[in-house]
Amino acid sequence: MTFEVAGALVGLLALPLLVFLHRRRRRVPPFDVPSLLFVADELESHPPRRRLLDVDLLLALLGAAALGLAAAGPRLALGEGSRTFRVVVSGGAPAAAFTAERGRALAALRGAVGGADRVEVVEVPAREDGPRPSSTTLLDVALAGEASWRGVVSDALAPPGLPAAVHWIRIGRKDVQNLGIVRASLIRRDGALAVFAMVQASASGTVPFQLVLDGERTRRVGRLQRVEGGGVVTAILPVGERWRRFHLALAVGDGSGEAWRDALAADDRVLFERRPLTVAFAPSLPPPYARALLDALEAALGVGGILVVEEGADLEVSADPQEAAAPSRAGRGLQLFPSADGDVAFAEEAPDVALEDGLVADLSTRGCDLLYAPAALARDTLGGATRVLLWRRGRTKSWPVVARRDRRILFLPDPLAGAASPAETPLWPLFVDNLRREVAGEVAGDEPGWRRRGLLDPASTDLGRDPAEVGDAARAVEGVAPAEAEGGTRLRMPLALLGLLALLLLWARRPVPSTSWRVTKAPSPEP
Amino acid sequence: MRRARPKGGGAPPAVDPHLFPPAFLRLLAVVPRAVERLRASAAEGRRATLGEGGRFLFRGHRPYRPGDDLRRVDWKVAARLGRTLIRQYDAERDALTEVWLDASASMGPLGGRVKATRVAALGCAIGLAGGGRARLGILSEGRPSDLLDLDRTGSLRQVLEALTRLELRGRADLAEALPRLVKRVPRGARFLLISDLLSRADPGCLHALAGRGLRGAVLHLRVPEVTAPEPRGSVAIRDVETGETKRVALDVAAAGRIADRAKAHADRWAHRAAAVGLRTLPFAPTTPDESLLRRLVEEIP
């Protein structure tokens, strides 16, 4: 049994005092008589035996004890409770290389815990062709919620400063082999367009490979190269000037037919395409806002990298509040909320809170004025499927900055309002760059108008091959203390009612007639 | 002992309304008339044998007082002198009534104080009736102490106030008090001793009063809870005089023994009182005041 307010049990110390006071009160004092002259010769007698069953005392003790226990808020635990084992599984492209290992780790965890316990698996998603989630994100997810045990299943090494409350279960294979493109960008070499590539090997021994350019109607194969396990090799391949779209791919092997198993395919192919980002501005968008967006996009893509169209655009920009809840017809919709004079809400300076999302990466509202039109904070805008990714957390209110709603992206404060408007601070340009990266992909180098997709980070290519031991998932859950049942039966109300009932019965009982030294019939004193 | 307390605080009343309620005060007011009526209705010879010298002798006149019997008015003198005078006899003029009250603590509990003080007041009123005098005193710690000397009916209020102020405490110690009292009591006086006689003293101490021609009575306060208790099992009782506490098994047999001892004790005192010419008049806290008055007037010479 547990108690919500254990200190209230001190009141039970009054029970012995109740017994003392009750007996003292019930004690019959000696009767005062004029003289003991006529009883002096009588023998001294013993006091009458105390009543074994003093109902009044029992009721008083029961009432006081029940009320005292009720004040302590007891909870009756129904045996051992179920434990929650929270397991965070890393997503992203490298996870595809260890699907089997991850499954075995989870099965080992489930097998190691008791039948009444619960294994809560939380997968931190990432793009299937994207890098792993950061270790910070994995730890944050692992530490969230109530759990008796927390663990992260990942093929990456445990980060330094791992909290003691989190177990890092590393999965992988020491014999895993992977060859991947870790750098790829378009360059000009002697005036001619070319692609620069860097290939990394996570393998043992030397791996032969060739880079292949798959154009629209052309295929160019680079020379055979070899890369040492754990090393990198670079290569430059010419690109046709008239090419508008091609893949840079890896062909592992030397053509001899020797099989070489590449663990991760996601880092073996990169897409390049020359297509400006098409942007459509809705009639509801005031021209200054369109200009602010174009300026930010041109800073990232160059003038030739943006094309304003009427329809069919990659990015559609609107300022109509009615469209904020509607699905975007384009690849992505950007909703802005221009404010009018005199009808704005001003967000006080406060810390930022951001979710793990590439759209809000590196964004900060510090030093920036955030002014909101009423429509930006309306329930229709922020309710439903809207998911706020970045907000300023005030003392009494949170001020949303960036949100998603299906394929529509909302920038909620007025980007042009304020003495230090978002457009005049890094907030707006960085946001537009993140947006551009999501909509159009990475910039493929210095050549304007070219985009790149599918390039992973070197860490993703470097799968779990280091000498660190792969964690034993089953051993990691040993020694977790059994937990008490959550909740349990609250006994406060039943005990309080019992106590009140006992006191009510005590009050309703007839008083015990006191013994009085009186004669009911006075004898005649006549001699 | 209960003290009179006025409602709402302040000084206690001079006369305790609990000790002397309005009904008793009305009774007290008619005592002179009652005494005259009862004495007049008695045979002269019988009355003459009760008094010293045997016969009433006319000794003179005194002024009429309200309450005097109109049959004693000397109408001849009134017609001649124009004044209303009363014929006075030896049995009345300068008659002294000594009222002595046992002031020990044992007189207090269980209603004893209330009744004893009323008896003392009645005794004083009877003594003052018909022009007599009265003296009120107490016996305490072996010493008699005068409270009041009274010579007229109007001084009864002083009696009530004195009895209200009286505190019953300690012991009377009759064996020492009575010999000392004898020296104060004049020969031939009417003597009233009010006591519960709950003393281990030898009743023979009453012999100190012998040979002084005293007439009167021992007014014996008998509290039924002491002299005839009811059986009620094991009880603890405490002597208010000594503080001694004793637990006794008060069954039927014990109650009978206690009653027998009390009766034997009372009989011994009554026998000794009779030997010195005093009657014994028992009374209880529940004895009606009217009954007490009648018995005091009729049975005490």
Side-chain angles (χ1 to χ4, degrees), chain A residues 171-218:
Chain A
I171 55 174
R173 298 190 302 275
K174 290 186 178 179
D175 60 346
V176 68
Q177 302 188 104
N178 185 39
L179 193 67
I181 301 172
V182 296
R183 289 282 187 273
S185 60
L186 289 174
I187 59 175
R188 284 281 174 183
R189 184 179 180 186
D190 299 332
L193 188 61
V195 61
F196 168 83
M198 180 181 292
V199 175
Q200 178 177 307
S202 177
S204 57
T206 303
V207 183
F209 74 95
Q210 289 174 292
L211 285 171
V212 179
L213 291 180
D214 279 328
E216 295 166 354
R217 286 187 288 271
T218 308

Side-chain angles (χ1 to χ4, degrees), chain A residues 31-32 38 40 42 45 517 525, chain B residues 225 236 238 246 257 261 282:
Chain A
F31 296 109
D32 286 336
F38 306 129
E42 294 295 322
S45 72
W517 186 269
Chain B
E225 289 85 344
R238 180 169 57 201
K246 186 170 184 176
R257 290 193 296 271
R261 294 190 198 106

Side-chain angles (χ1 to χ4, degrees), chain A residues 391-427:
Chain A
W391 65 93
R392 180 183 278 182
R393 178 180 286 171
R395 281 177 296 180
T396 58
K397 183 177 179 177
S398 294
W399 301 94
V401 180
V402 179
R404 284 188 191 276
R405 190 187 184 100
D406 299 326
R407 296 171 65 83
R408 190 175 293 277
I409 295 166
L410 289 70
F411 190 87
L412 295 153
D414 187 336
L416 301 182
S421 63
E424 296 170 325
T425 66
L427 174 62

Side-chain angles (χ1 to χ4, degrees), chain A residues 72-245:
Chain A
R75 281 192 178 194
L76 185 64
L78 304 174
E80 283 188 8
S82 62
R83 298 172 293 182
T84 298
F85 290 78
R86 187 176 177 85
V87 183
V88 178
V89 179
S90 174
F98 300 107
T99 304
E101 287 77 8
R102 183 176 67 179
R104 283 197 290 272
L106 291 176
L109 274 169
R110 290 192 173 94
V113 302
D117 297 327
R118 187 167 63 100
V119 177
E120 183 183 64
V121 179
V122 180
E123 183 158 349
V124 179
R127 293 198 341 253
E128 290 183 358
D129 58 348
R132 305 182 188 91
S134 65
S135 57
T136 302
T137 300
L138 295 173
L139 290 175
D140 287 345
V141 176
L143 291 171
E146 295 289 333
S148 302
W149 182 94
R150 306 170 190 275
V152 173
V153 176
S154 172
D155 65 295
L157 284 173
L162 180 68
V166 179
H167 300 261
W168 195 274
I169 300 175
R170 188 157 177 273
I171 55 174
R173 298 190 302 275
K174 290 186 178 179
D175 60 346
V176 68
Q177 302 188 104
N178 185 39
L179 193 67
I181 301 172
V182 296
R183 289 282 187 273
S185 60
L186 289 174
I187 59 175
R188 284 281 174 183
R189 184 179 180 186
D190 299 332
L193 188 61
V195 61
F196 168 83
M198 180 181 292
V199 175
Q200 178 177 307
S202 177
S204 57
T206 303
V207 183
F209 74 95
Q210 289 174 292
L211 285 171
V212 179
L213 291 180
D214 279 328
E216 295 166 354
R217 286 187 288 271
T218 308
R219 179 182 170 88
R220 294 181 182 176
V221 180
R223 62 183 178 87
L224 181 65
Q225 293 179 280
R226 296 181 185 277
V227 59
E228 294 290 332
V232 294
V233 167
T234 61
I236 297 175
L237 298 174
V239 176
E241 288 291 342
R242 294 180 179 172
W243 287 9
R244 303 183 70 79
R245 190 173 188 271

Side-chain angles (χ1 to χ4, degrees), chain B residues 14-293:
Chain B
V15 176
D16 188 346
H18 173 71
L19 290 179
F20 310 111
F24 180 80
L25 297 179
R26 285 192 292 271
L27 181 67
L28 213 58
V30 303
V31 164
R33 186 172 301 179
V35 169
E36 291 297 327
R37 187 165 52 248
L38 289 171
R39 286 178 180 170
S41 63
E44 187 174 276
R46 173 171 173 274
R47 292 283 297 169
T49 59
L50 294 176
E52 184 179 358
R55 297 182 65 82
F56 282 132
L57 296 177
F58 174 72
R59 290 299 181 188
H61 292 88
R62 64 169 175 80
Y64 170 82
R65 299 184 195 132
D68 289 340
D69 191 350
L70 292 177
R71 289 176 292 184
R72 294 206 174 170
V73 175
D74 196 333
W75 296 108
K76 292 181 180 178
V77 173
R80 290 176 60 185
L81 300 181
R83 290 186 293 162
T84 307
L85 300 175
I86 296 293
R87 288 193 290 273
Q88 201 171 7
Y89 296 91
D90 271 342
E92 298 171 350
R93 190 179 62 178
D94 295 332
L96 175 62
T97 300
E98 298 271 346
V99 180
W100 289 90
L101 177 62
D102 181 345
S104 63
S106 62
M107 293 285 287
L110 303 173
R113 180 180 185 241
V114 173
K115 193 56 64 175
T117 52
R118 291 183 188 177
V119 169
L122 287 174
C124 293
I126 293 172
L128 292 173
R133 291 185 296 116
R135 177 159 63 185
L136 176 64
I138 59 172
L139 302 178
S140 178
E141 300 297 342
R143 293 181 181 278
S145 303
D146 293 350
L147 287 185
L148 291 169
D149 276 317
L150 311 161
D151 60 359
R152 57 187 177 87
T153 306
S155 57
L156 271 178
R157 183 168 180 83
Q158 299 177 34
V159 172
L160 301 181
E161 292 175 354
L163 291 172
T164 298
R165 293 191 300 267
L166 179 64
E167 291 187 17
L168 302 176
R169 57 186 172 190
R171 301 186 179 188
D173 201 353
L174 295 177
E176 285 205 24
L178 288 178
R180 289 173 176 166
L181 179 61
V182 169
K183 301 172 185 178
R184 295 172 174 233
V185 178
R187 296 178 63 84
R190 180 190 291 129
F191 180 78
L192 300 177
L193 174 62
I194 307 168
S195 174
D196 55 6
L197 303 180
L198 291 175
S199 171
R200 297 183 183 276
D202 190 337
C205 62
L206 284 174
H207 283 191
L209 302 173
R212 297 192 57 79
L214 297 180
R215 50 197 173 85
V218 173
L219 305 177
H220 185 188
L221 173 64
R222 298 185 190 180
V223 179
E225 289 85 344
V226 175
T227 59
E230 281 194 353
R232 55 181 65 252
S234 177
V235 290
I237 52 179
R238 180 169 57 201
D239 188 324
V240 294
E241 282 193 4
T242 64
E244 179 187 354
T245 301
K246 186 170 184 176
R247 178 172 289 279
V248 295
L250 200 59
D251 53 11
V252 174
R257 290 193 296 271
I258 292 170
D260 291 341
R261 294 190 198 106
K263 185 177 183 307
H265 180 83
D267 290 346
R268 286 195 295 273
W269 279 89
H271 178 72
R272 296 297 184 183
V276 299
L278 296 175
R279 296 174 66 90
T280 298
L281 202 64
F283 68 98
T286 55
T287 302
D289 298 335
E290 295 80 2
S291 172
L292 279 173
L293 174 61

